[in-house]
Amino acid sequence: MQIKDTDLKATAVAKAQATNSLQNIALTLLSNVAIAVSLALLLYLEDGGTLIFWWLAAAVAFALFRAWRVLAMKSSGLRESDPHRLLRFLTAMAFASGLLWSVVPLCFGAFLTQQALYCVVFIMAGTTTGAIIQSLAYSSTAIAFGTPLMGATLLRMLMSGSGVSYIIAADVVFLTLMLFRAAILGERNFIASQITAFEATDLAGSLAEANREVLSSNRALEQLVRTDPLTGLANRSHFRDVADAACRSGQGVAFVLFDIDNFKTINDTLGHDAGDRVLAEVADVLRSACQVDDLPVRLGGDEFIVVLQGSAVAARSAAFAEQLTRALSLPLTIAGQPQSISCSIGIAVHLEGDIAVDDLCARADAALYRAKEDGRARTRVFDEQMQTEFALQRRLDLDLPQALARGELHLEFQPQVTMATREVIGFEALLRWRHPSEGMIPPPDIVRAAFRLRLSNKLTAFVAERACAFVRALDASRTPRVKVAVNVSPREFSTHSPARILKDAAERYGVDPRRIEIEITEETMFDPKRCADELRLIHDYGFGLAVDDFGVGHSSIANLLAVELDTIKIDRSFIHDLPASCRNQQLVMAIAAVALPLGHRIIAEGVETEEEARALRSLGCIYGQGWLYGRPMAESDAIAWLARGSDGEAVAVAVSAA
Ligand code: C2E
Ligand code: CA
Ligand code: CA
């Protein structure tokens, strides 16, 4: 119970007093009747008068009337609604009863012997004492009852005129005052104890409430710390806790990892608010696809993951991915426009035993990577083949830092020629790593591992260094001053500036930047807008710029117009069956028609046969690179090869056999 102010406290105390009074009243009335009977008997035996029985009848009737009224009061709920009124009523009843009892000493006393009168005084004092003992919670009823009764007794004693009576009268006064004082003190104690009890309850109540508040703000804080504010989904830290427990449970667990295809384009074209709306909508779709035990999480950006648990996770994760793909294929309304989105999903399932969260995450990541590589908007499940590739990937991740530090990597140089004359115009620097146990590692794998390990800058610095050293070695051998092309991935642009790294190396080696051409190589889309700053630097420092693998779809003709290019390299895949493929011939012709008037050089990659070279030349392509002219060679071999004069197939074959 909360007692807030004095009024409320007074009412609560009155209620307690009323309760106590009502509890005691039955006994009070009963003893009242018993004493009245004994008093009537005493007086009857004393003088044989029967008038006293009329008084007895009145006293019993009034006691019954009080009992009836009290019962009615109890059931009326007055104790709760107005305890003060109830107490006033009880006081009035007690006073009326006191008046009735005062009749005995006043009216019957005159006919009694002195001795009988003393008995009456004794009974009256006893009755009053009894009333006081019964009313320790509320003194007014006892005082209201005792005052007329003791007053009448005192009066009768004074009226009797004897000396003994006066002494007894004095005792009666003293006794009455003591009794009333006891009644008042008793009530005070009762009130004090009640207030202490209320305050204790009050304190306990406030403590409980404070406790509840602390608990609820703790919960709110915890919720905040575990939730992504934009989507309301669990965040990365909550994911870690749940995923950790799931991965250690030894039972089935699956991670369904996905991100929204081309989310950056949505952000760039429709604005960040629209991007946020898309994320919130995706979160809603995700939530409705989840069952109670599944945990949907936003890891950050447009990356989401769902943790599924139980023995049927393999089937459930596949069904889940299907459901998600279907739900997301329905257009969303973003910024008032219907917006179609798709997502790429990677699933990793682990059925038995413990597994580290990071391992399962890496598997889901590998599957997602594969889904994107396969053209996005699809689901890939981590499988055995990925497992093998994944194991290799981990091996490379472990070994690359040391290999780089120990200089275990090297470059090979492949000539680029004027196809008609076989005159060498440059070399392309290609990365090589012969791994002690895994053999030759494909360069794109090295590049990806470096990116994962945030070592791309070191790798590029190594390539820049070796390429510049090669230029210096070429010059020292008095061979023609040809260019050297180095490959650079635009993915690096977000972490460092390859142009700056190359500039540093060129300065250190005293190499003219115009001798270096930077080939922008990328398996994903090459977006000149996002690369603009870096491309400008390349241009400003004086390096040449080439777009690699042209035609495979990532670079577009529009890009050619947007960028200050020197060279376009037509991808190997168009060259291979060029003599037979009309489509590829048309493509080469189209590239030549756009590029040549803009002053761009075209180099055909992967030229293996004379027919390919002839076809290329007839389509307007002048320069070529490929096994027909020369395989990638170690630095010293390339220099020797150039010094001897690039004398055709025989040289290339000899080098490749070496
Ligand atoms: P790319 O830039 O298109 O390099 C040409 C690839 O074609 C090289 O493969 C080369 O060995 C191969 N090639 C050349 N002529 C022929 C031919 O006549 N027939 C056939 N079948 N293949 C030929 P490689 O060395 O395995 O390099 C693969 C890719 O790795 C490169 O493709 C490039 O994208 C990337 N790469 C290589 N070195 C580096 C580097 O230092 N940095 C970066 N970022 N990427 C690199
Ligand atoms: Ca290249
Ligand atoms: Ca290429």
Side-chain angles (χ1 to χ4, degrees), residues 220-239 260 263 275-284 286-287 295-305:
L221 256 173
E222 204 173 296
Q223 181 76 0
L224 211 65
V225 168
R226 296 156 75 87
T227 309
D228 167 57
L230 175 67
T231 59
L233 296 180
N235 63 11
R236 192 179 279 273
S237 94
H238 189 183
F239 161 72
I260 303 163
F263 180 69
D276 286 356
R277 282 283 317 282
V278 170
L279 293 174
E281 296 263 356
V282 170
D284 284 345
L286 192 55
R287 250 190 295 266
L295 181 75
V297 181
R298 181 179 171 217
L299 289 174
D302 63 328
E303 206 179 8
F304 296 84
I305 196 166

Side-chain angles (χ1 to χ4, degrees), residues 5 39 123 220 246 282-283 319 329 333-334 341 388 435 442 480 517-518 546 647:
D5 52 35
L39 185 63
I123 290 173
V282 170
S329 69
T333 308
I334 304 293
I341 59 168
T388 314
H435 189 278
E517 185 158 76
I518 296 178
D647 48 0

Side-chain angles (χ1 to χ4, degrees), residues 420-494:
T421 61
R422 296 205 171 208
E423 189 190 350
V424 177
I425 56 158
F427 287 90
E428 179 179 3
L430 294 161
L431 195 55
R432 297 291 179 259
W433 177 19
R434 189 183 295 280
H435 189 278
S437 61
E438 308 294 336
M440 286 307 281
I441 308 297
D445 288 356
I446 310 170
V447 171
R448 277 198 287 270
F451 186 76
R452 277 195 301 275
L453 299 166
R454 299 178 201 279
L455 288 174
S456 299
N457 55 343
K458 291 227 168 79
L459 187 67
T460 300
F462 167 78
V463 172
E465 189 107 339
R466 297 316 313 149
C468 288
F470 180 66
V471 174
R472 289 305 303 257
L474 279 178
D475 291 354
S477 71
R478 298 173 190 283
T479 47
R481 296 173 66 80
V482 295
K483 287 190 176 193
V484 173
V486 294
N487 292 282
V488 152
S489 157
R491 236 193 289 183
E492 295 177 45
F493 297 176
S494 56

